[in-house]
Amino acid sequence: GSYHWNFERGLSVVTIPLVATALISGPIPLVDFGLGVVLPLHTHLGFDCIVQDYIPARKYGILNTIGTWGLRIVTGVVLYGCFAFNTTDVGITAFVKRLWTGKL
């Protein structure tokens, strides 16, 4: 329990300089890689808490297992998608900048 909480807080703290760097300096491949790892993992931990709180294993058993493994699979797909997007396309920071400015 405490390691999970510390890891989640660590991801939250790491997110702040990554987002600040992306806003200040624009697209940097290392920052895009960091965002592509930290944001999905942070989101995974948040959704994992939801699954554990609202579909507890002691009460729902198989639904908890399905929810947990479904979340793990989706997180893996999102991590791969972020990796592919950062390596074969413009990257997360440049994409958000394009969305924000409306310029392609």
Side-chain angles (χ1 to χ4, degrees), residues 16-32 35 93-94 97:
I16 296 168
L18 282 173
V19 171
T21 303
L23 288 172
I24 293 169
S25 24
I28 299 172
L30 190 59
V31 173
D32 284 343
L35 288 171
T93 306
K97 183 177 179 180

Side-chain angles (χ1 to χ4, degrees), residues 40-56:
L41 288 180
H42 180 74
T43 305
H44 171 84
L45 291 174
F47 278 110
D48 187 51
C49 288
I50 292 171
V51 169
Q52 299 308 318
D53 287 347
Y54 293 103
I55 313 172

Side-chain angles (χ1 to χ4, degrees), residues 59-82:
K59 185 173 183 180
Y60 294 103
I62 191 70
L63 288 177
N64 177 277
T65 304
I66 292 169
T68 300
W69 278 101
L71 178 61
R72 290 174 182 167
I73 291 167
V74 168
T75 301
V77 170
V78 169
L79 283 167
Y80 175 74
C82 288

